[in-house]
Amino acid sequence: MEEHIVIIGNGISGVTAARHIRKLSDKKITIVSAETEYFFSRTALMYVYMGHMKFEHTQPYENWFWKKNRIDLKKGYVKTVDTKAKTLHFDNNDALKYDKLIIATGSKPNKFGWPGQDLEGVMGMYHKQDLENLEKYAPNNLACKRAVIVGGGLIGIELAEMLNSRNIPVTFLVRESSFWNGVLPEGESQMINRHIKSHHIDLRLSTNLKEIKADKNGKVKSVIIEETGEEIMCYVVGLTVGVSPNIDFLKGTNIEIAKGVKVNRSLETNIKDIYAIGDCAEQLEPIGQRRNIEAVWYTGRMMGETVAQTICGNRTPYNPGHWFNSAKFFDIEYQTYGWVFNKPGENETHFHWKHEDDTKCITVAFNKNTNEFLGINTFGIRMRHEVFDRWLTEKRDMDYVMQHLSEANFDPEFYRTYESDMLSVYKNQLQTA
């Protein structure tokens, strides 16, 4: 009888695993999901609300794709896993047997026990249901006179941009003293503060939520600020204070969990034939300077490809390579390659350049003893991933990187004006250092 592979979760990790297992084998594959029938691109949700695309455009595969590739889809909520009997139990008393199981259940938004956090009109921006709620409670600025966003990460700024696109006034509560300053160096963080305010967002730094108040119908009426007791009237509250692995259903099983599902470098759990990938997987040993849990789209995809190899007989360690990421702060595109920490580490230093228009900057991290290039952040200037990837592997020095930056630029014809300026600022800093 053919081996049955069951994947819980139809995000990028689970679907990538299914596709690659199918490429490599004829095994029976079932994807289980409680969220939507078909896989969609989570990162595209904001563009649906902003009117750039329809929800069906967020589905990378046509509905016939699954049947043609013999990937079965089952909609249902898994209540628990019986690892001895190799059986999933669902909340409607259904059951499903597996030979090998891949846990790819992703993340859920953090909630910190605020009074009112489960009221109507309070939402994250992670799931299709969040998009539906946003359409319901914030269709336009006539229905929604103000929204409050709590939490200053990448999803918070996406939600601010979405609401802003429909002219809905936004108050943005950020716990930190400067936007995303746990990640970004000070110069970049301050530039983003100014950029957010330039879009008429009411950015409140060093500000915490105390509670969310309800009207007589159980809908959001206002929020209370912890520091001052101020009440801000609003119709929608977006909770975007990070995510945690979505693994509550595994409590009480013998699968080893901590914050996430514990896995080795081959993405295997402590139980034979059970694997975990994507946002819910927690590496037993961190890989380089990466975190044990990475809620990042591309690493989820890479884990899906890796686990497919292992399941199809070619045991493969997960090797994500040099760190990179990208995002958007309203009109400013952000990319990071290698490691640029918010504060330089021991033996590290940062070179920072900012354009006079206050929407473009770079920060380059390097070893001050050996001059080795360690990483770069770019804002408002598109750079080529493969070039920085190569320079990091080749351990190029800082002087080489600065003199060859034009090779990395995605758009050289627009770039000439910045390149010489960056180099001269860099040389001046060297002379005055």
Side-chain angles (χ1 to χ4, degrees):
M1 216 172 95
E2 61 186 351
E3 190 174 46
H4 187 195
I5 313 297
V6 174
I7 301 165
I8 311 176
N10 73 343
I12 185 64
S13 308
V15 167
T16 302
R19 283 180 44 241
H20 283 263
I21 291 167
R22 177 53 70 239
K23 279 182 186 176
L24 297 165
S25 76
D26 288 327
K27 299 177 192 295
K28 179 175 165 60
I29 303 171
T30 303
I31 297 179
V32 174
S33 168
E35 185 183 11
T36 52
E37 215 141 314
Y38 292 106
F39 168 58
F40 66 94
S41 171
R42 201 171 299 282
T43 47
L45 284 180
M46 68 183 289
Y47 300 111
V48 177
Y49 182 81
M50 291 168 75
H52 302 315
M53 52 169 51
K54 292 188 161 67
F55 182 72
E56 54 266 30
H57 300 152
T58 69
Q59 291 179 206
Y61 307 107
E62 299 289 344
N63 292 348
W64 53 257
F65 171 89
W66 309 100
K67 200 165 189 176
K68 180 177 179 243
N69 287 284
R70 293 186 301 107
I71 297 170
D72 296 330
L73 306 176
K74 179 174 171 61
K75 200 160 185 221
Y77 181 80
V78 178
K79 204 166 68 171
T80 189
V81 181
D82 181 342
T83 58
K84 289 199 167 58
K86 290 193 163 184
T87 303
L88 305 185
H89 293 282
F90 292 82
D91 63 351
N92 63 356
N93 296 321
D94 251 9
L96 182 67
K97 281 196 162 299
Y98 64 84
D99 294 305
K100 287 193 166 79
L101 177 66
I102 302 173
I103 300 163
T105 45
S107 302
K108 60 178 196 300
N110 290 335
K111 290 184 175 181
F112 292 105
W114 294 292
Q117 66 182 17
D118 296 316
L119 290 170
E120 280 187 53
V122 181
M123 65 203 70
M125 197 56 236
Y126 304 89
H127 304 119
K128 180 171 186 264
Q129 287 81 349
D130 293 326
L131 183 67
E132 289 159 0
N133 274 331
L134 204 56
E135 278 294 356
K136 182 176 171 184
Y137 295 108
N140 52 46
N141 58 353
L142 298 172
C144 181
K145 301 286 191 287
R146 178 165 296 275
V148 172
I149 298 171
V150 182
L154 296 180
I155 294 178
I157 194 122
E158 281 183 1
L159 185 52
E161 183 178 355
M162 290 161 71
L163 292 158
N164 198 55
S165 75
R166 296 197 185 183
N167 299 313
I168 294 167
V170 174
T171 296
F172 204 168
L173 309 184
V174 175
R175 183 180 62 186
E176 292 78 20
S177 57
S178 185
F179 191 84
W180 219 32
N181 66 358
V183 176
L184 299 179
E186 189 184 3
E188 300 173 354
S189 176
Q190 299 281 2
M191 185 180 89
I192 297 303
N193 292 341
R194 295 188 291 273
H195 190 64
I196 292 169
K197 288 175 179 170
S198 77
H199 284 79
H200 312 293
I201 303 288
D202 173 25
L203 178 64
R204 310 278 191 102
L205 297 168
S206 304
T207 303
N208 285 278
L209 171 69
K210 184 181 181 189
E211 68 172 301
I212 305 166
K213 295 205 139 189
D215 67 10
K216 59 181 186 299
N217 301 317
K219 283 203 190 107
V220 169
K221 178 184 79 170
S222 64
V223 301
I224 307 291
I225 302 294
E226 191 174 280
E227 286 74 11
T228 60
E230 179 192 352
E231 183 171 17
I232 300 172
M233 309 307 286
C234 60
Y235 292 65
V236 161
V237 175
L239 297 182
T240 59
V241 282
V243 294
S244 307
N246 181 23
I247 58 166
D248 287 350
F249 71 103
L250 297 175
K251 287 174 183 169
T253 68
N254 51 1
I255 299 166
E256 192 187 341
I257 59 173
K259 271 189 176 163
V261 183
K262 291 282 203 177
V263 293
N264 63 17
R265 281 296 285 273
S266 296
L267 307 168
E268 299 160 327
T269 68
N270 63 313
I271 305 292
K272 188 177 180 313
D273 296 333
I274 300 183
Y275 308 79
I277 56 175
D279 293 18
C280 69
E282 181 176 355
Q283 287 285 330
L284 290 165
E285 302 285 331
I287 299 171
Q289 298 194 69
R290 288 171 176 269
R291 294 178 173 178
N292 296 50
I293 299 172
E294 287 186 330
V296 183
W297 186 88
Y298 79 88
T299 55
R301 193 191 64 215
M302 289 166 98
M303 285 189 216
E305 292 179 15
T306 303
V307 83
Q309 291 287 339
T310 296
I311 278 177
C312 295
N314 175 27
R315 192 162 182 269
T316 304
Y318 167 59
N319 178 21
H322 298 297
W323 168 253
F324 73 93
N325 204 4
S326 63
K328 204 162 139 284
F329 299 93
F330 284 93
D331 321 313
I332 299 178
E333 288 188 26
Y334 155 72
Q335 294 166 289
T336 182
Y337 303 101
W339 295 109
V340 182
F341 296 109
N342 61 336
K343 293 183 174 63
E346 203 183 345
N347 302 321
E348 285 177 22
T349 191
H350 285 175
F351 164 69
H352 183 68
W353 169 89
K354 183 169 77 69
H355 192 264
E356 61 195 5
D357 72 5
D358 205 28
T359 67
K360 299 172 193 72
C361 73
I362 66 165
T363 303
V364 191
F366 59 102
N367 183 308
K368 62 185 176 195
N369 301 329
T370 65
N371 221 24
E372 184 189 330
F373 168 59
L374 301 173
I376 184 167
N377 287 353
T378 76
F379 287 79
I381 302 166
R382 279 190 185 176
M383 298 285 198
R384 293 183 187 277
H385 174 198
E386 66 274 13
V387 175
F388 287 123
D389 205 56
R390 187 172 75 243
W391 289 347
L392 287 163
T393 299
E394 291 168 350
K395 296 186 183 297
R396 290 290 183 182
D397 69 21
M398 184 63 180
D399 300 341
Y400 178 90
V401 168
M402 291 308 298
Q403 279 156 6
H404 292 81
L405 266 183
S406 58
E407 288 174 29
N409 199 271
F410 200 78
D411 230 346
E413 64 269 33
F414 295 125
Y415 184 63
R416 294 289 164 227
T417 51
Y418 315 134
E419 180 193 64
S420 54
D421 186 38
M422 285 178 192
L423 197 54
S424 66
V425 172
Y426 172 64
K427 284 177 174 167
N428 286 342
Q429 280 194 16
L430 279 183
Q431 282 158 9
T432 56

